[in-house]
Amino acid sequence: MKKYFLYTVFILLFQAGFSQKNDVLSFSEYLGYVKKYHPIVKQSNLVISESEAKLLKARGSFDPKIEVDYDRKKFKNSTYYDKLNTAFKIPTWYGVELKGSYEQNSGEYLNPENTVPTDGLYNVGVSVSVARDLLINERMATLKRAKLFKNQAAADAKLLVNDILYKASMSYFSWLRAYQEKKVYDAFVENAGLRLEGVKRSFEVGEKPAIDTTEARIAYNTRKLNLEKAQLKYIKTSLELSNYLWINDVPVEIKNTLIPDTELKTTIDYALQIDTIGIDESLENHPKLQSLDYKYKSLEVDRRLKQNNLLPQVDLQYNFLSETPETINSFNTANYKAGVAVRFPLFLRKERADLKLTKFKLEAVDFDKQATSLAINNKLNSAQEEIRSYENQLTIADTIVSDYSVLLKGEERKFEIGESSLFLINSRESKLIESTLKVIALENDLLQAKATLFNVLGI
């Protein structure tokens, strides 16, 4: 119920707000709603949140730990052993772990090596890997990968938002084109209607033959039929546009009182921010290339880890022992517990294979980055050429429309003095309508080319 209430309130505010602006839904305002409320845009934010959660999880590997280990065995009124071992461990960035622990053991059958003073035994020490896992280990690699994944997720989110804004823009352009075509047919239906009434009056007073009324009526109905088709197209594009308008998880429907910005071609560069972006700069900061770069760096971390696994595993530990921890100098080299563990596979087949596989992945990403960079560069050049060509075509098409308008007006003046016919007027008018629609189509192609440039730039 709350969602529908919010929906109703928003519709009223939506209509009231735009009624103050002549009911024009500007392109920039439309994109603002898409960026703020569209579910796919919100989904991109979830990708970033997921990467942040994974980074937090990776950092958890470096959290200090408290461990308590208690064992007791009692049988037939005899306490075989009663062992308590508590420890506090602090992992560090490199393969070093600081540790402090306390032991208290007793029992009739306690293993002699576990015998400690009555009040227990304290130890403080360190364990370190001096070969494998010293400079890089699984814990360090996981954290580095998580940081890189966060940056990669941010770049991928930019691509996701860019793609939805591109699709939303194309939908707006279709809506604009349908509206402009409808307005053209509106105007020419009105002209055809006035001409039909004029011909009828001329026929009634004997100035025009009956056949002229038939021809005028055919032209009028033809214009009405085209207008009906244009209105249907406008309704369909309005509904398609509504797919991108949401508020508080509720879809918003475009009302008939809203119209597109017919002067969009003068402001689209600013709206899409393609007027301030340098091509070289955009390639350097392109989110797709950044995503591949972070992927490469993540694999580079894997390569270092796999390379490190070729080293032997040598773990050292040294612990100072004391039964009076409150006295600092009681921890000395006279009482200690130390150890060393060495592990090394003889053939290293698994480790060498893992390293080779990682190197292959690095080469694949490098090839992908080169191909993507070339593809983006070619798409940029193609989009720029399209924009230049459509601008030139529009200049020519505008001249054609202007000339057809002059011809139509001249033909109408000749018709008024009886030196022309309705057939010629309708022919001139049809050519004018056709050329006007071509201008609208070219303007729309130009807008789409600029949106494509926006999409390729990954803004």
Side-chain angles (χ1 to χ4, degrees):
M1 189 67 184
K2 181 179 178 182
K3 280 188 176 181
Y4 290 107
F5 173 73
L6 289 172
Y7 170 75
T8 305
V9 172
F10 176 73
I11 288 296
L12 294 175
L13 293 175
F14 202 77
Q15 292 178 330
F18 286 118
S19 64
Q20 298 173 4
K21 302 178 184 178
N22 298 322
D23 294 325
V24 174
L25 174 57
S26 72
F27 182 63
S28 297
E29 201 162 2
Y30 163 72
L31 288 186
Y33 280 107
V34 175
K35 284 190 285 187
K36 187 172 183 180
Y37 296 111
H38 198 277
I40 294 182
V41 177
K42 292 184 176 181
Q43 180 184 351
S44 69
N45 294 329
L46 290 179
V47 174
I48 297 177
S49 299
E50 180 185 356
S51 67
E52 290 174 345
K54 289 182 177 179
L55 177 57
L56 180 63
K57 179 181 178 181
R59 283 176 174 159
S61 299
F62 294 89
D63 290 344
K65 299 179 180 64
I66 295 178
E67 299 178 357
V68 178
D69 187 8
Y70 178 71
D71 282 331
R72 187 181 191 192
K73 181 178 179 181
K74 188 172 183 179
F75 183 67
K76 294 183 178 180
N77 297 324
S78 296
T79 301
Y80 279 59
Y81 54 80
D82 196 327
K83 297 188 293 184
L84 173 65
N85 191 330
T86 63
F88 179 70
K89 298 179 180 180
I90 305 176
T92 63
W93 178 248
Y94 293 102
V96 178
E97 184 176 75
L98 305 178
K99 177 182 177 181
S101 64
Y102 169 74
E103 290 183 75
Q104 188 172 45
N105 306 320
S106 61
E108 297 178 24
Y109 301 104
L110 183 69
N111 192 321
E113 71 175 16
N114 293 325
T115 303
V116 295
T118 305
D119 293 332
L121 183 65
Y122 297 86
N123 76 75
V124 176
V126 61
S127 61
V128 58
S129 297
V130 296
R132 182 190 297 188
D133 296 341
L134 176 62
L135 298 179
I136 186 169
N137 52 54
E138 188 63 43
R139 184 173 58 198
M140 295 163 58
T142 300
L143 181 55
K144 286 183 177 181
R145 285 194 297 260
K147 289 180 179 179
L148 292 170
F149 179 73
K150 179 184 175 183
N151 294 331
Q152 183 181 353
D156 290 339
K158 288 181 183 179
L159 289 173
L160 192 61
V161 174
N162 173 272
D163 190 57
I164 192 64
L165 291 178
Y166 168 73
K167 292 177 180 177
S169 299
M170 300 299 274
S171 181
Y172 186 95
F173 301 154
S174 297
W175 183 48
L176 172 60
R177 179 176 178 175
Y179 172 77
Q180 290 175 317
E181 290 177 350
K182 184 174 76 71
K183 294 296 289 183
V184 169
Y185 286 119
D186 272 334
F188 282 100
V189 164
E190 185 178 354
N191 289 343
L194 292 174
R195 189 179 299 120
L196 176 60
E197 293 301 320
V199 171
K200 283 182 178 179
R201 286 194 295 269
S202 297
F203 166 72
E204 290 171 358
V205 297
E207 294 181 355
K208 300 291 181 184
I211 194 67
D212 280 358
T213 60
T214 302
E215 188 165 354
R217 187 166 55 250
I218 290 173
Y220 174 67
N221 286 326
T222 300
R223 304 289 182 263
K224 283 182 66 178
L225 179 62
N226 290 333
L227 176 60
E228 187 66 29
K229 292 179 180 178
Q231 286 175 334
L232 176 60
K233 182 179 178 182
Y234 179 66
I235 292 172
K236 291 173 68 176
T237 55
S238 298
L239 292 173
E240 181 184 346
L241 188 76
S242 298
N243 292 333
Y244 297 96
L245 286 175
W246 295 70
I247 180 69
N248 292 335
D249 300 329
V250 178
V252 178
E253 183 178 342
I254 291 290
K255 298 300 180 182
N256 293 331
T257 54
L258 292 179
I259 61 173
D261 180 10
T262 55
E263 300 298 323
L264 176 57
K265 65 179 181 179
T266 62
T267 60
I268 186 171
D269 289 358
Y270 175 78
L272 293 178
Q273 299 177 6
I274 58 177
D275 56 338
T276 58
I277 299 296
I279 301 301
D280 294 336
E281 177 188 353
S282 66
L283 282 175
E284 291 178 4
N285 300 318
H286 197 282
K288 179 61 177 178
L289 297 179
Q290 286 181 337
S291 177
L292 289 173
D293 190 46
Y294 289 126
K295 184 178 181 180
Y296 186 90
K297 289 179 180 179
S298 180
L299 287 171
E300 184 66 24
V301 173
D302 277 346
R303 185 195 63 78
R304 288 182 56 202
L305 180 62
K306 299 298 190 295
Q307 198 170 37
N308 184 74
N309 288 341
L310 296 176
L311 299 174
Q313 184 78 41
V314 181
D315 296 328
L316 304 179
Q317 62 170 328
Y318 189 91
N319 297 276
F320 296 98
L321 304 178
S322 174
E323 57 182 317
T324 57
E326 64 277 2
T327 305
I328 298 299
N329 58 11
S330 64
F331 291 101
N332 54 63
T333 56
N335 302 308
Y336 66 90
K337 182 172 66 174
V340 59
V342 179
R343 292 180 294 277
F344 186 66
L346 293 180
F347 299 111
L348 293 173
R349 284 181 288 201
K350 177 180 180 298
E351 289 75 10
R352 288 188 287 114
D354 285 342
L355 180 59
K356 283 186 177 181
L357 290 172
T358 304
K359 287 181 177 179
F360 293 152
K361 291 178 181 178
L362 279 168
E363 289 182 11
V365 173
D366 192 42
F367 291 145
D368 191 11
K369 188 175 179 179
Q370 293 178 30
T372 301
S373 179
L374 178 62
I376 291 174
N377 190 59
N378 289 336
K379 287 180 181 178
L380 284 175
N381 292 332
S382 175
Q384 288 176 312
E385 285 299 314
E386 276 192 332
I387 292 171
R388 183 195 59 77
S389 177
Y390 286 136
E391 287 175 343
N392 291 338
Q393 291 179 53
L394 264 176
T395 302
I396 299 171
D398 283 335
T399 303
I400 294 174
V401 169
S402 179
D403 290 343
Y404 271 126
S405 297
V406 172
L407 286 176
L408 178 59
K409 289 178 182 178
E411 206 66 49
E412 287 175 338
R413 283 195 296 268
K414 290 170 67 177
F415 180 75
E416 290 173 359
I417 61 177
E419 295 182 0
S420 184
S421 65
L422 274 178
F423 174 79
L424 287 175
I425 289 179
N426 290 335
S427 177
R428 301 290 191 197
E429 191 176 69
S430 296
K431 289 294 184 180
L432 177 58
I433 293 173
E434 181 183 341
S435 60
T436 303
L437 293 177
K438 283 184 178 179
V439 168
I440 293 174
L442 283 172
E443 285 183 352
N444 207 263
D445 288 339
L446 176 60
L447 296 176
Q448 291 185 15
K450 291 189 174 184
T452 300
L453 178 61
F454 163 83
N455 183 238
V456 174
L457 289 171
I459 301 174

